[in-house]
Amino acid sequence: MGRRMDPSPAVAAADAYRRALRTAASVAAYAVLARSMARELLPDELRATARWGASKLSARLGWRRGELRTLVVRSHAGRSSAGIVSDDNLLYDAARTYLASRLDPPPPDMPRLGLTVSKAKDDDGGGVDGWKTRLFIEPGDFTTDVFDGVEFTWRSVPLPDGEKKKNAGAGSAGGDRDYFLELSFDAEHTATALERYVPFVMESAKETKRRERGLKICMNEGKMWYIINHHHPATFDTLAMDSDLKSSIIADLDLFTRRKDHYRRIGKAWKRGYLLYGPPGTGKSTLVAAMANHLRYNIHDLDLSHSGSNLTLQWLLLSIQNRSILVIEDIDCCCDAVTREGRHLQVTLSGLLNLIDGLWSASGDERIIVFTTNYKERLDAALLRPGRMDMHIYMGYCGWDGTPSRRSPTTTS
Ligand SMILES: Nc1ncnc2c1ncn2[C@@H]1O[C@H](COP(=O)(O)OP(=O)(O)OP(=O)(O)O)[C@@H](O)[C@H]1O
């Protein structure tokens, strides 16, 4: 007679649940049991899918699985004792940006949407650079979003008339503040909402704003940066370059932007250096423009012959904002050179490198420095030593068939 094997704990649990399900008297009891069963028997991914399916089903059947929790997201972060509205609520603006990107293209089940067309202002609020459209939920309406298998409902709620007055003039969004947002979800997912979904909304909005940002190119004269709009059409798609090399540069840039915590952890300034070298006219400046367009970073094109002393240079470097590319072209000949007026430059290469590694690195985040040269072999050893420029990229002429010549990039750190 064969020996009966003991069932595994999972099989035993499944049998016990099946028996209980058969005898469950009510729909509510069935739902509670099914949820416990899923929690114990399903792997994480399946559980998320099951949760999503269950929430869809419950929405269709009109019954709620659990208690509904609603977070109220107002346009301002609080109110002083005098009743005056205080700082902007960053989540409110981020949620509007995030929802606008989710509503474009408009979902078929939302026949009515709000639309605004506004001037696309440059970052510094200065010049106007075209216009942008934005879709949003009309007051009284709602939209749902599924994140990690959990359903989140965003509802736009009009402010009571009395509150509208108090809000008038607060912050930059004007009439947008005549309503607030409600974020509702099953109360059991409160931790997911606060710890994962809200940060996700904030990050997504940040990314959208980054993509919409108008770019600048800044050129120096004395202590000043002169700023013009940057509309260079070059992108990685238009750049003629070996495809593997191109992909490795894009991957390197993308990794850099995501590694804030990594740089903090290892105690290094969040910056990355690229040395572009190769004959004249092979696309080094074009590559810088493509990098700026890809990252949505401003370019600071530093001409050392216009920067005077180390002190002026220090001033210039310190006034560069985060998310910028600092470019110094023809680095082989711009230090220790002579200006057009015949004066010797007071900037030395070691002074420049010290400033970049020291003060400049300590004064900001997420910055890229690019040196270009036609003659890598003429460069000072201090510039080529490992860790100084993180990636050395050769830009060569195209071959007869139009394929660019290639050398593997060298990564020095
Ligand atoms: N690889 C390339 N892909 C696309 N366009 C290119 C490429 N190389 C050169 N060009 C075009 O040739 C012109 C000169 O290119 P660019 O100024 O970028 O070269 P460079 O290497 O920076 O030159 P220099 O060393 O003299 O500064 C630009 O108009 C650019 O559009």
Side-chain angles (χ1 to χ4, degrees), residues 232-235 238-242 246 276-289 329-330 372-374 395-398 404:
H232 200 298
T235 64
T238 64
L239 191 70
M241 181 186 256
D242 175 87
K246 198 187 284 189
L276 313 185
Y277 66 101
T282 49
K284 294 182 288 297
S285 310
T286 313
L287 172 58
V288 174
E329 296 203 56
D330 300 320
T372 75
T373 180
N374 298 138
M395 302 290 288
Y397 291 118
C398 291

Side-chain angles (χ1 to χ4, degrees), residues 221-222 303-310 312 333-347:
E221 178 71 61
D303 183 342
L304 290 175
S305 67
H306 288 158
S307 67
S309 64
N310 273 348
T312 314
C333 51
C334 65
C335 288
D336 302 322
V338 181
T339 63
R340 245 178 269 134
E341 298 84 44
R343 284 182 287 117
H344 273 279
L345 286 181
Q346 293 163 35
V347 176

Side-chain angles (χ1 to χ4, degrees), residues 268-336:
K268 266 182 80 174
W270 190 9
K271 72 169 169 62
R272 193 135 180 99
Y274 297 87
L275 173 69
L276 313 185
Y277 66 101
T282 49
K284 294 182 288 297
S285 310
T286 313
L287 172 58
V288 174
M291 287 166 123
N293 281 330
H294 180 75
L295 296 169
R296 309 304 297 166
Y297 282 13
N298 291 333
I299 294 177
H300 284 73
D301 192 355
L302 181 66
D303 183 342
L304 290 175
S305 67
H306 288 158
S307 67
S309 64
N310 273 348
L311 201 66
T312 314
L313 183 61
Q314 185 174 326
W315 182 271
L316 284 168
L317 291 180
L318 287 179
S319 58
I320 294 178
Q321 291 173 342
N322 293 346
R323 295 169 166 271
S324 294
I325 301 180
L326 169 64
V327 187
I328 305 180
E329 296 203 56
D330 300 320
I331 187 70
D332 53 290
C333 51
C334 65
C335 288
D336 302 322

Side-chain angles (χ1 to χ4, degrees), residues 50-128:
R51 260 202 312 262
W52 179 79
S55 64
K56 282 273 169 220
L57 188 67
S58 65
R60 286 188 60 176
L61 292 178
W63 54 264
R64 278 190 200 137
R65 249 183 4 189
E67 198 190 325
L68 198 68
R69 171 144 294 151
T70 297
L71 303 177
V72 177
V73 184
R74 297 186 192 279
S75 61
H76 50 85
R79 200 176 283 278
S80 71
S81 50
I84 297 165
V85 292
S86 62
D87 295 344
D88 289 348
N89 179 355
L90 299 182
L91 177 57
Y92 179 81
D93 285 335
R96 280 175 51 82
T97 305
Y98 172 71
L99 291 173
S101 67
R102 289 202 47 85
L103 295 173
D104 190 11
D109 58 344
M110 288 191 80
R112 192 158 182 270
L113 284 168
L115 171 69
T116 55
V117 179
S118 56
K119 291 171 181 170
K121 287 215 171 113
D122 305 326
D123 257 7
D124 52 10
V128 171

